[in-house]
Amino acid sequence: MRDITLSKAVNEAIAEEMRRDPTIFLIGEDVAEAGTPFKVLSGLVEEFGPERIIDTPIAEPGFMGIAVGAAMTGSRPIVDLMFGDFLFLVMDQLCNQAAKTHYMSGGKLNVPLVLRTNLGATRRSAAQHSQSLHALVAHIPGLKVAMPSSAYEAKGLMKTAIRDNNPVVIFEDKLMYNDKSPVPEGEYLIPFGQANIKREGTDITLIGTSSMVQVAERAAELLAAEGISAEVIDPRTIVPLDEETILRSVRKTSRAIVIDEGHQSYGITGEIASRIMEKAFYHLDGPVIRMGAMDVPVPFSPALEDVTVPTPEGVAENARRLMRGEMFHAA
Amino acid sequence: MRDITLSKAVNEAIAEEMRRDPTIFLIGEDVAEAGTPFKVLSGLVEEFGPERIIDTPIAEPGFMGIAVGAAMTGSRPIVDLMFGDFLFLVMDQLCNQAAKTHYMSGGKLNVPLVLRTNLGATRRSAAQHSQSLHALVAHIPGLKVAMPSSAYEAKGLMKTAIRDNNPVVIFEDKLMYNDKSPVPEGEYLIPFGQANIKREGTDITLIGTSSMVQVAERAAELLAAEGISAEVIDPRTIVPLDEETILRSVRKTSRAIVIDEGHQSYGITGEIASRIMEKAFYHLDGPVIRMGAMDVPVPFSPALEDVTVPTPEGVAENARRLMRGEMFHAA
Amino acid sequence: MNTAKARTNSEDYLRMYRQMVRIRSFEDNANQLYLSAKMPGLTHMYSGEEAVAVGICEALRVTDKITSTHRGHGHCVAKGAEFRQMFCELLGKEEGYCRGKGGSMHIADQANGNLGANAIVGGSMGIATGAALSAKRLGRDDVTVCFFGDGATAQGLMYEVMNMAALWKLPVIYACENNLYGEYTKVEETAAGSITARAEAFGIEAFTVDGQDVLAVNDLTQKLVARARKGEGPFFVELMTYRYHGHHVGDINREYYRSKEEEADWKANRDPITNFGKWLATEGIATDAELEAIRAEVKADAAAAVDYALAAKYPDTSEVGMHVYAANG
Amino acid sequence: MNTAKARTNSEDYLRMYRQMVRIRSFEDNANQLYLSAKMPGLTHMYSGEEAVAVGICEALRVTDKITSTHRGHGHCVAKGAEFRQMFCELLGKEEGYCRGKGGSMHIADQANGNLGANAIVGGSMGIATGAALSAKRLGRDDVTVCFFGDGATAQGLMYEVMNMAALWKLPVIYACENNLYGEYTKVEETAAGSITARAEAFGIEAFTVDGQDVLAVNDLTQKLVARARKGEGPFFVELMTYRYHGHHVGDINREYYRSKEEEADWKANRDPITNFGKWLATEGIATDAELEAIRAEVKADAAAAVDYALAAKYPDTSEVGMHVYAANG
Ligand SMILES: Cc1ncc(C[n+]2csc(CCOP(=O)(O)OP(=O)(O)O)c2C)c(N)n1
Ligand SMILES: Cc1ncc(C[n+]2csc(CCOP(=O)(O)OP(=O)(O)O)c2C)c(N)n1
Ligand SMILES: [Mg+2]
Ligand SMILES: [Mg+2]
C-alpha cells in the first residue's frame, strides 16, 4: 500500500486497463497533451499515443455518439466529459442510444463504454460547473452508475467499469482529485453493487455517496465523542444498489440518514430512503432523514455556495435529533 | 360545462392565452398546417398566422435555445416538443440555461416559457417514443413541472403555465388526447401547487400522476366493492408539490400508495413516498408503497409493453395487502 | 439510366432488381398488416426509395456497417436481412431480429452489419461515425454508411460528427436521402442554403445523385467505398428520391402538404423498379417474363413470411426484464 | 489600420480607445485579484481581444442585445457596464450585477442589453437567435450580436440556429472570436474546412476581419448592423484575434501548446490598443499625453472600483433561496 491521489488512482486504472486490452481508447476534450484541465490523464498520451488518447473538438454530443458507435463495433471507449454539468449535452446519445441499444436489439448489440465525469460544488465555479447530476442517469434503465469516495474506490471501480459490457457512468468528485489515500500496489477490482461499510456502529446508519462519505465519517467522529455510535456506509455504485448491506445495517441501528450532494428533491436520497422504509419499516425508530444539496442552482458567491451542501455538523445534528426521538417533522 | 377532449382543452387554453397576450408565440415541428402529429394544435395557425405558430426544422436543441432567448427579451414562447423522449436533446438549453438564468442573474432576467410535451407508454412506440421523463426535470431547481390528468386539468394548468414567469414543463399523456371530460365554458385557471382530491376516502390514500390518476380511480372502485375506502389524490404539479394535501390525507388514512408512469427507481415515487414518511411517519400503519413503471427500456412487443406499467388491479392488490397489514417487504 | 458497365455483370443487376422488388414487397405487406390492424403501432414505408438502399448496400461487404432510420425496412432488406425475422419483429414476436423488443423503428441485424434503425431523427450519425473510428483504430478496412433523411440535416449532431470525421479521415459515407419532405413539411422550408455545401464546408467531398437510378447510385457508391477503404474518406452523398406513402402508414390525407399530381408523376415516371426493369429488358439482360417471375417469387416469399410471423409466438412476459444489461465476462 | 472616416468623429474614436483601455485595465486587476488569492474561483482574461468587443459594441445601441461567453468581461465593459458592479460580481458581493450569484462566467447586465456570459461553450447561440426572433416578432428593430469562440464552432447548436436564422431572416450577427486556440488546443486541430464557409452553406453572408483593428471591426459591424435592422440578416463574422493570457488565469505553463515567441510577437506587433493609439496620434486626433491621461484615469477608476468591491459586503446567506423562481403577476 502507498498513498496516492484520487487523480493518480484514476490514471493508473485507465493505464493498466489500456495495457491489457488494445480495444480500449479514451476520447474527450484536451485529454492528450493537456491531460485534462484537472491533469488527471497526464502521461497517458505519451504511453498510448494520440490514436488511443483522442483529443476532440468541443462537441460533447458528437463524441458521445461516436463512442456509442465504437462500442457497438468492438471497441471499448472511455469518454471523458470535462464537467458533470455537460451531461445535459450528451443525454440523448447516452440515454436514448447507449442505455437502450442492448435491450432494443434483443440482446444482440452491446455498448461497453465508460463515461467518466465529475460532480461537486464549493469550487466557486457557479451554476453551470458545479452540479451533481447522478440522479438523472441513475433513473435510466440500462446505465450503471458508480460514485467513488476515495482513491481506492476510484481505481477499483474504474477498472470494473472498463470491463463491464454496459454503459457505465462514473462520477468523480472534482474537489477530491488531490486527496490521497492508501491504494494497493497490485491489481484489484471493486465489484459493482457491493456497498462498503466504512465504519461500524450500532446506533445510527449514515449512508453517504462520493465526498459525502467523508462528511458522514466526520459526523461519525463528532457523534462518537458524544457516545453515539454511527455506522457509515458507502454504496459505491447507486446502480446497481446494494440494498442488502444497507438494510442489514438499518435493521441493526433502527435509524438512518442518507447524505448526497445532488439536489435533494427528486434526487437519489428519496430512492434510498424509500427503499429502506419499504423494506425495513418495522425496524425504524423514526423516519429516514434525507440530506441532499439545496434545491437551488449553485450560487457563485462563497458566502452562499457553502450553505448549499451538507456538512458534518448538519449530519451530526440530525443524528442527535433522531437519537433523541425528536420527530421534528411529524405533525 | 361540456365534454371536450384533452386535445381540444390544450388547444383552447393556448388559443385563449394567445388572444389575450400578443407576446405569446408557439414554436415546434409541424405545429402549423399539420397541427402536430397528434393534431392537438389544429386551427391555431389559421387564427394566429405563421408568425406566431412557427414551424421549425427538426432541431430541438436549436428551437429550445431560441425560445430561451426570446423569453429573456419580452416574448412568452410555448415550445412544442413532439415526444417527451426528445427531452434528452433539449436538456442543456432547458436545464443549464432556462432553469438557471433567473437565479444566475440575481433576479434580473426572467425566462417565462412553457415546454409542452408528453409521456406515456402502451402505444407500441418502443423505447425512444414512450418514455415518461418528468423525474429528470423535476430534479432541476428553477423548473416547474405540471402533469394534467384530464382535459379539465390540461386546460387550467396550461393557462397557468403560460402566465407563469418561469420555465414550466407540462407533460400530457399522449394516450389521453382523445379522452373527453367536462370542462367549463368560461375561463378558469388551476393554480400550481394545489393538489386535487379526486375521490374522498378514509382507509388508504392513492396518489397518482397524469394517467395514473385514472388507474388510481379505477383501483378505488375495485376496492370500494370490497368495502375499502380509498382517497385518490392528484398532485397536478410535482414542482411545486402540494405536500400539505397529501400529508393531511395520509394522516387520516395511515396508508399510502404512490403511482406514476416514470421508471420507479430514482423517479418521483421515491420523493413523494419519502416526504410522506418523513413528515407523517407516526401516522403510518405500514410503508408507503411505490408503483412506478418497470426499470426497463419500453419494449415494443405488446406482450411485453403491457406489463411495464402500473394497472388498477396491481394497485388494488397492493392496497389490500397494506390493509391486511401484510408487511411483505419487511424482514 | 446510367449505362456504364451494362451487361458486364448480369448477376449483380438481377440481384439489385430482386432486392428492390423485395423491399417493395415487404412494404406492401407491412402496409396491409397496418391497414388490417394486425400490426402494433405505426410504421414508415420506404416504397419509392428502393434504389437508394439497394444501390448503396450492393456496394458494401457484409462486414461493412450501416446505420438506419425510422424509415429503415429498406436498408435492412438491402443489407441482407430475411423476411421472416423482419416480419416477426414488426409484429413483436419472439423470433424477430430483436426478439420483438425493438419493432419497426429499432430493427437491427447485427450479423449483416446493420447497426439498427433509430427513432431519433439524426440519432445514428454519431453511431455511424463511431463505427468508422472503430474500424480504423482496430485496423479493419470496413466502411460505414450512415443513412438519414433531408430532415435530419437540421440536427446539430451531424455537423459535430462531420467535423471529427473530416479531421480524422474516417471511412464513413453520409448518405442523405432527400425525399423532399420531413414529415409534413417541404425541405425548402426547413433547410437553408445548400445541403452538400454544408458538408463541403468541413472539407468533405460531396455529391448529388439521382436516387431513383440504382446503377448511378451503385457506381458512385462503389467508387466512394473503394476510396474510403483506402483512407480517403469521409464522403457525403445527397440522393434525390421520393417516398410514395405518407410520412407513416397513418398519414393518409396529405394533400395539404403535397399534391396527388406530384405523387402520381413520381410513380409513373420515376419509379426505380419499373425503370430499372425496362433497362434490363432493353439491354437484354432479362426478359419481361423473367422479371415477372422474380416479382412473383418474391411476392410468394413475402406472403409466406407474413403468415409465418402472424402465427409465431410472442415472447414470454418473463423476457421483459431480460437484456436491460448485458452479461459480463 | 483602416483609415476610412479618419478624423470624422474624434469623439467616437476616443471613446473606443477608452473602452479598450478600460477592458485591459479591468483584466489586469482581475488577474491581480486572482494572483493575490482575493478572487474566488477562476476567470478567463479578454486582454488582447479588446478591439473585437469594442469595435462591435460601439456599433450597437443600448437596446441592441449581446450574448457573451466564459471570456466575457470585455463584452460586458464594451456594452456599457460599470467597474464597481463588475468587480463586486467577480468577488461574489451583493452589489454585483447578479448579486454575486453569477460570478465571472455568468455576468449579465440586462439594462445595457447584455444577456449574459455563459459557461457552456456555444450555449448562448440559441439565446442570441431567440432574442433576434423576439425583436423581429415584437416589431422592434434591435439587432443581437452573438459572441463566441473558434472552439464553439464545434457545437452542433450553432448549425441548428444558423439554419433557422437564415430561413427566417433574423437580425442576428454571429461574431466568432477566432483567437487561434480553444483551451489548450490549436484551432486547426479542432476545426475542419473553413469556418466562414460553414455559415455560407446556410446562405448566410460571412466575413473575415482583422480583430486587432478596432476601426475595421467597427466599420464592418456598422454596415452589417444597419443591414440587419432592415431585415437583411443574419450575418456571420470571423474576427482574427489573440488572447494574451492563458486559457484561464491559472493556465501559466502553456508552452506545450503555444510558444512564448508567438505570444511576444502578437503583443509587440499587433496590440489593438497600442496600434490604435499610434494611429490616433498620427492622425492628430489625440496627443500621446492625452492618451496617457486616459489610461491613467481609467487605471485610477479601476483601482478605486477594486477597493470598493473588496470592502463591499457579501449577500446575506438568506439570499441563497431567493431568485430560484421569479415572482408571478
Ligand atoms: C429528434 C427527433 N425529432 C423529431 C422526430 C419526429 N420525426 C420522425 S420522422 C421525422 C421526419 C424526418 O424527416 P427526414 O429526415 O427527411 O426523413 P424521412 O421521414 O423523410 O425519410 C420527424 C420530424 C423524431 N423522431 N426525432
Ligand atoms: C459545452 C462545454 N464544453 C467544454 C467546456 C470547457 N471549456 C471552457 S472554455 C473552452 C474553450 C473554448 O474555446 P473558444 O470557444 O475558442 O473560446 P476561447 O476560450 O478561445 O475564447 C472549453 C473547452 C465548456 N465550458 N462548455
Ligand atoms: Mg425526408
Ligand atoms: Mg478560441
Side-chain angles (χ1 to χ4, degrees):
Chain A
M1 289 272 197
R2 68 257 138 91
D3 280 4
I4 61 171
T5 61
L6 191 147
S7 175
K8 175 90 176 110
V10 172
N11 191 301
E12 279 187 8
I14 294 172
E16 286 175 18
E17 293 302 302
M18 287 187 74
R19 276 175 216 132
R20 190 185 53 77
D21 181 351
T23 67
I24 300 168
F25 68 87
L26 189 143
I27 187 164
E29 293 155 16
D30 279 320
V31 293
E33 284 75 16
T36 79
F38 296 103
K39 305 295 169 202
V40 177
L41 305 182
S42 295
L44 294 183
V45 73
E46 285 75 8
E47 176 169 358
F48 300 103
E51 300 283 304
R52 292 184 70 193
I53 305 291
I54 306 176
D55 264 347
T56 64
I58 310 170
E60 290 83 2
F63 63 75
M64 184 71 221
I66 286 176
V68 177
M72 284 163 71
T73 53
S75 295
R76 300 183 82 87
I78 303 171
V79 176
D80 185 285
L81 191 68
M82 200 186 288
F83 282 88
D85 313 68
F86 308 160
L87 269 175
F88 288 129
L89 285 158
V90 305
M91 288 298 271
D92 177 59
Q93 292 299 311
L94 180 66
C95 301
N96 272 336
Q97 311 295 345
K100 296 179 172 48
T101 295
H102 186 67
Y103 193 83
M104 293 191 305
S105 70
K108 293 218 185 110
L109 291 160
N110 286 356
V111 186
L113 70 79
V114 178
L115 175 58
R116 68 169 286 268
T117 190
N118 53 37
L119 56 70
T122 69
R123 205 173 148 264
R124 320 315 182 198
S125 303
Q128 294 173 342
H129 277 63
S130 306
Q131 293 168 88
S132 300
L133 296 175
H134 44 289
L136 299 190
V137 289
H139 184 51
I140 305 302
L143 301 177
K144 297 186 180 179
V145 184
M147 302 184 69
S149 61
S150 80
Y152 177 77
E153 274 81 19
K155 181 165 181 183
L157 292 171
M158 178 61 80
K159 287 175 67 94
T160 305
I162 294 173
R163 297 188 195 184
D164 200 286
N165 284 335
N166 298 282
V168 178
V169 187
I170 185 158
F171 288 89
E172 297 156 11
D173 186 305
K174 61 178 102 67
L175 283 109
M176 282 170 48
Y177 281 129
N178 294 322
D179 290 2
K180 287 193 172 183
S181 65
V183 171
E185 305 272 355
E187 163 156 295
Y188 67 97
L189 283 89
I190 299 178
F192 283 3
Q194 286 193 11
N196 181 29
I197 303 176
K198 267 282 196 181
R199 176 185 178 121
E200 301 215 6
T202 51
D203 294 329
I204 184 165
T205 303
L206 307 179
I207 300 136
T209 58
S210 185
S211 63
M212 293 299 114
V213 175
Q214 285 177 24
V215 167
E217 286 184 288
R218 270 181 262 138
E221 283 160 27
L222 295 175
L223 293 167
E226 303 165 24
I228 300 173
S229 163
E231 180 145 304
V232 175
I233 295 185
D234 171 9
R236 298 204 286 209
T237 52
I238 56 172
V239 181
L241 179 69
D242 179 0
E243 263 182 31
E244 268 324 303
T245 301
I246 295 171
L247 292 174
R248 211 177 304 121
S249 176
V250 176
R251 285 180 193 132
K252 174 175 71 175
T253 62
S254 305
R255 297 172 194 90
I257 303 180
V258 187
I259 312 141
D260 178 65
E261 209 180 332
H263 299 300
Q264 178 164 314
S265 285
Y266 301 101
I268 76 152
T269 59
E271 181 66 25
I272 298 177
S274 293
R275 293 210 198 173
I276 295 172
M277 292 193 272
E278 275 161 26
K279 300 186 183 174
F281 187 74
Y282 281 100
H283 296 82
L284 286 172
D285 279 1
V288 178
I289 303 297
R290 301 186 294 143
M291 298 181 71
M294 282 183 75
D295 291 322
V296 304
V298 180
F300 166 70
S301 184
L304 303 179
E305 187 178 26
D306 287 340
V307 307
T308 64
V309 291
T311 58
E313 295 69 29
V315 174
E317 184 48 29
N318 274 332
R320 282 180 214 113
R321 289 190 193 169
L322 263 185
M323 290 304 297
R324 286 197 299 265
E326 269 181 34
M327 289 311 113
F328 33 94
H329 286 308
Chain B
M1 289 274 196
R2 70 255 136 92
D3 280 4
I4 62 172
T5 61
L6 191 146
S7 176
K8 175 87 176 117
V10 172
N11 191 303
E12 280 188 6
I14 294 173
E16 286 175 18
E17 293 301 303
M18 288 188 74
R19 277 175 216 132
R20 190 185 52 76
D21 181 352
T23 67
I24 300 168
F25 67 87
L26 190 144
I27 187 166
E29 292 154 15
D30 279 320
V31 293
E33 283 75 17
T36 79
F38 296 103
K39 306 295 169 200
V40 177
L41 306 182
S42 295
L44 293 183
V45 73
E46 285 74 11
E47 176 170 357
F48 300 103
E51 300 283 304
R52 291 184 71 191
I53 304 291
I54 305 175
D55 265 348
T56 64
I58 310 170
E60 290 81 2
F63 64 76
M64 184 71 220
I66 286 175
V68 177
M72 285 163 71
T73 54
S75 295
R76 300 183 83 88
I78 303 171
V79 176
D80 185 285
L81 192 70
M82 199 185 290
F83 282 87
D85 312 68
F86 308 160
L87 269 175
F88 288 129
L89 285 159
V90 304
M91 287 299 270
D92 177 60
Q93 292 299 310
L94 181 66
C95 301
N96 273 333
Q97 312 293 347
K100 296 179 172 50
T101 295
H102 186 67
Y103 193 83
M104 294 191 305
S105 70
K108 292 216 186 113
L109 291 160
N110 286 356
V111 185
L113 70 78
V114 178
L115 176 59
R116 67 170 286 268
T117 190
N118 52 37
L119 55 71
T122 68
R123 207 174 149 264
R124 317 320 180 197
S125 302
Q128 294 173 341
H129 277 63
S130 306
Q131 295 169 85
S132 300
L133 296 175
H134 43 290
L136 300 188
V137 289
H139 183 52
I140 305 303
L143 301 178
K144 297 186 180 179
V145 184
M147 302 185 69
S149 61
S150 80
Y152 176 78
E153 274 81 19
K155 181 166 181 184
L157 292 171
M158 178 60 80
K159 286 174 67 95
T160 304
I162 293 172
R163 297 188 194 184
D164 200 287
N165 284 332
N166 298 281
V168 178
V169 187
I170 185 158
F171 288 90
E172 297 155 11
D173 186 303
K174 60 177 103 67
L175 283 109
M176 283 169 50
Y177 281 128
N178 294 322
D179 290 3
K180 288 192 173 184
S181 64
V183 171
E185 305 273 352
E187 163 156 295
Y188 66 97
L189 283 88
I190 299 178
F192 283 4
Q194 285 192 11
N196 181 29
I197 302 176
K198 268 284 199 179
R199 175 185 179 120
E200 301 214 9
T202 51
D203 294 329
I204 185 166
T205 303
L206 306 178
I207 300 136
T209 59
S210 184
S211 63
M212 294 299 115
V213 175
Q214 285 178 24
V215 168
E217 286 184 288
R218 269 180 262 140
E221 282 161 28
L222 296 175
L223 293 167
E226 303 165 24
I228 299 174
S229 162
E231 180 146 303
V232 175
I233 295 185
D234 170 11
R236 298 204 286 208
T237 53
I238 55 171
V239 181
L241 180 69
D242 179 0
E243 261 181 33
E244 267 325 303
T245 301
I246 295 172
L247 292 175
R248 210 177 307 120
S249 175
V250 177
R251 284 179 194 132
K252 174 175 71 177
T253 63
S254 304
R255 298 172 192 90
I257 303 180
V258 187
I259 312 141
D260 178 65
E261 209 181 329
H263 299 300
Q264 178 164 315
S265 285
Y266 300 101
I268 75 152
T269 59
E271 181 67 24
I272 297 176
S274 294
R275 292 209 199 173
I276 295 172
M277 292 194 270
E278 275 161 27
K279 299 185 183 174
F281 188 73
Y282 280 101
H283 295 83
L284 287 172
D285 279 359
V288 179
I289 303 298
R290 301 185 295 144
M291 298 181 70
M294 283 184 73
D295 291 323
V296 304
V298 179
F300 167 70
S301 183
L304 304 179
E305 187 179 28
D306 287 339
V307 307
T308 64
V309 291
T311 58
E313 294 69 31
V315 174
E317 184 49 29
N318 274 331
R320 281 179 215 116
R321 290 191 194 169
L322 263 184
M323 290 304 297
R324 286 198 298 264
E326 268 181 35
M327 289 312 113
F328 33 96
H329 287 307
Chain C
M1 185 61 55
N2 184 325
T3 57
K5 299 206 284 172
R7 295 195 126 283
T8 58
N9 204 335
S10 318
E11 213 176 285
D12 289 352
Y13 296 150
L14 290 176
R15 200 175 49 243
M16 285 191 219
Y17 184 80
R18 174 184 291 271
Q19 286 290 67
M20 291 202 288
V21 171
R22 289 184 74 232
I23 294 173
R24 182 73 54 91
S25 209
F26 186 88
E27 295 299 49
D28 287 345
N29 280 282
N31 195 32
Q32 275 312 315
L33 284 168
Y34 170 78
L35 293 174
S36 56
K38 289 181 184 143
M39 194 185 62
L42 292 172
T43 183
H44 308 80
M45 302 279 95
Y46 197 72
S47 311
E49 310 192 11
E50 293 87 350
V52 173
V54 171
I56 288 178
C57 292
E58 284 292 315
L60 300 178
R61 306 189 298 216
V62 175
T63 55
D64 290 331
K65 306 287 183 282
I66 65 164
T67 62
S68 167
T69 68
H70 59 285
R71 196 178 303 289
H73 307 161
H75 313 134
C76 195
V77 169
K79 197 66 175 64
E82 299 295 342
F83 279 170
R84 271 198 187 184
Q85 287 107 300
M86 284 188 70
F87 280 119
C88 279
E89 191 57 38
L90 260 65
L91 297 179
K93 301 300 178 77
E94 187 189 290
E95 284 181 71
Y97 273 113
C98 310
R99 298 189 74 79
K101 284 196 163 117
S104 164
M105 287 208 290
H106 303 290
I107 198 160
D109 174 14
Q110 164 250 22
N112 282 305
N114 178 355
L115 299 178
N118 208 306
I120 301 297
V121 166
S124 72
M125 289 174 167
I127 294 170
T129 310
L133 175 66
S134 206
K136 182 172 170 158
R137 265 215 61 253
L138 299 174
R140 304 186 204 125
D141 68 351
D142 294 338
V143 169
T144 304
V145 174
C146 178
F147 287 103
F148 57 95
D150 48 286
T153 64
Q155 287 282 343
L157 183 64
M158 173 166 131
Y159 304 91
E160 298 195 2
V161 300
M162 286 202 308
N163 187 31
M164 289 184 264
L167 287 166
W168 305 337
K169 297 199 173 306
L170 299 183
V172 56
I173 299 174
Y174 299 101
C176 176
E177 301 179 308
N178 188 342
N179 61 8
L180 312 184
Y181 298 86
E183 274 194 7
Y184 320 111
T185 305
K186 287 196 199 316
V187 62
E188 307 90 83
E189 292 167 33
T190 57
S194 146
I195 288 177
T196 48
R198 298 186 194 173
E200 284 163 348
F202 289 88
I204 298 177
E205 266 184 75
F207 304 83
T208 302
V209 65
D210 178 359
Q212 305 309 90
D213 180 344
V214 71
L215 291 185
V217 173
N218 187 253
D219 280 350
L220 176 64
T221 310
Q222 289 203 16
K223 284 183 197 116
L224 298 183
V225 168
R227 289 181 59 195
R229 277 201 218 294
K230 286 190 288 179
E232 295 176 24
F235 299 104
F236 188 101
V237 183
E238 183 181 14
L239 302 112
M240 305 310 298
T241 185
Y242 200 75
R243 62 163 156 81
Y244 285 174
H245 293 260
H247 167 60
H248 55 61
V249 284
D251 172 25
I252 308 290
N253 298 319
R254 50 183 180 268
E255 279 177 87
Y256 70 95
Y257 72 86
R258 81 180 194 188
S259 69
K260 289 206 165 142
E261 293 68 45
E262 182 185 296
E263 294 186 2
D265 179 53
W266 279 83
K267 288 183 195 172
N269 300 310
R270 301 193 57 186
D271 185 74
I273 299 175
T274 310
N275 290 356
F276 190 48
K278 280 189 199 148
W279 181 83
L280 290 171
T282 316
E283 296 289 318
I285 297 165
T287 63
D288 284 343
E290 282 164 340
L291 296 177
E292 170 55 33
I294 292 177
R295 293 198 299 272
E297 196 188 322
V298 167
K299 200 169 174 183
D301 279 0
V306 167
D307 289 344
Y308 183 90
L310 283 169
K313 73 180 178 41
Y314 285 109
D316 188 84
T317 51
S318 67
E319 290 218 10
V320 70
M322 282 170 53
H323 306 131
V324 182
Y325 294 99
N328 286 319
Chain D
M1 187 59 55
N2 182 324
T3 57
K5 297 206 286 175
R7 294 194 126 282
T8 58
N9 204 334
S10 319
E11 214 177 284
D12 290 352
Y13 294 151
L14 291 176
R15 199 175 52 243
M16 286 192 216
Y17 184 79
R18 174 184 292 269
Q19 287 290 67
M20 291 203 289
V21 172
R22 287 183 75 231
I23 294 173
R24 181 73 54 91
S25 208
F26 185 90
E27 295 300 49
D28 287 346
N29 280 282
N31 195 32
Q32 275 311 315
L33 284 168
Y34 170 77
L35 292 175
S36 57
K38 287 182 185 140
M39 194 185 62
L42 292 171
T43 182
H44 307 80
M45 302 279 94
Y46 198 73
S47 311
E49 310 191 11
E50 292 87 350
V52 173
V54 172
I56 288 177
C57 291
E58 283 293 315
L60 300 178
R61 305 189 299 215
V62 175
T63 54
D64 288 331
K65 305 287 182 282
I66 64 165
T67 62
S68 167
T69 67
H70 59 285
R71 196 177 302 290
H73 308 160
H75 314 133
C76 195
V77 169
K79 196 69 175 60
E82 299 295 341
F83 279 170
R84 270 197 188 181
Q85 287 106 300
M86 284 187 70
F87 280 119
C88 279
E89 192 57 40
L90 260 67
L91 297 179
K93 301 301 179 77
E94 187 189 290
E95 284 181 70
Y97 273 112
C98 311
R99 298 189 75 81
K101 283 194 164 117
S104 164
M105 287 207 290
H106 302 290
I107 198 160
D109 174 15
Q110 164 251 19
N112 281 305
N114 179 356
L115 299 178
N118 208 307
I120 301 298
V121 166
S124 72
M125 289 173 167
I127 294 171
T129 311
L133 175 66
S134 207
K136 182 172 170 160
R137 266 215 62 251
L138 299 174
R140 304 187 204 122
D141 68 350
D142 295 337
V143 169
T144 303
V145 174
C146 178
F147 287 103
F148 56 95
D150 47 286
T153 63
Q155 287 282 341
L157 183 63
M158 174 166 131
Y159 304 91
E160 298 195 3
V161 300
M162 286 200 310
N163 187 31
M164 287 182 266
L167 286 166
W168 305 336
K169 298 200 172 306
L170 299 183
V172 56
I173 299 174
Y174 299 101
C176 177
E177 302 179 307
N178 187 343
N179 61 9
L180 311 184
Y181 297 87
E183 274 194 9
Y184 320 113
T185 306
K186 288 194 200 314
V187 63
E188 306 91 82
E189 292 167 33
T190 57
S194 147
I195 289 176
T196 48
R198 298 186 196 173
E200 284 162 349
F202 289 87
I204 297 177
E205 267 185 74
F207 304 83
T208 303
V209 65
D210 178 359
Q212 304 308 90
D213 180 344
V214 71
L215 291 185
V217 173
N218 187 254
D219 281 350
L220 175 64
T221 311
Q222 289 203 16
K223 284 185 198 115
L224 298 183
V225 168
R227 289 180 58 194
R229 277 200 219 296
K230 286 191 289 179
E232 295 176 22
F235 299 105
F236 188 101
V237 183
E238 183 180 13
L239 303 111
M240 304 310 298
T241 185
Y242 201 75
R243 63 163 154 80
Y244 286 174
H245 292 261
H247 168 61
H248 55 60
V249 284
D251 172 26
I252 307 291
N253 298 318
R254 51 184 179 265
E255 279 177 88
Y256 70 94
Y257 72 86
R258 80 179 195 188
S259 70
K260 288 204 166 143
E261 294 67 44
E262 181 184 294
E263 294 186 4
D265 179 52
W266 279 82
K267 287 184 197 174
N269 302 311
R270 302 194 56 187
D271 185 74
I273 300 177
T274 309
N275 290 358
F276 190 47
K278 279 189 199 149
W279 181 82
L280 289 171
T282 315
E283 295 289 317
I285 296 165
T287 64
D288 283 345
E290 281 165 343
L291 297 177
E292 169 55 32
I294 291 175
R295 294 199 297 272
E297 196 190 321
V298 167
K299 199 170 175 181
D301 279 0
V306 166
D307 289 344
Y308 183 90
L310 283 169
K313 74 181 181 30
Y314 285 109
D316 188 82
T317 49
S318 66
E319 290 216 12
V320 70
M322 283 169 53
H323 305 132
V324 181
Y325 293 98
N328 285 320

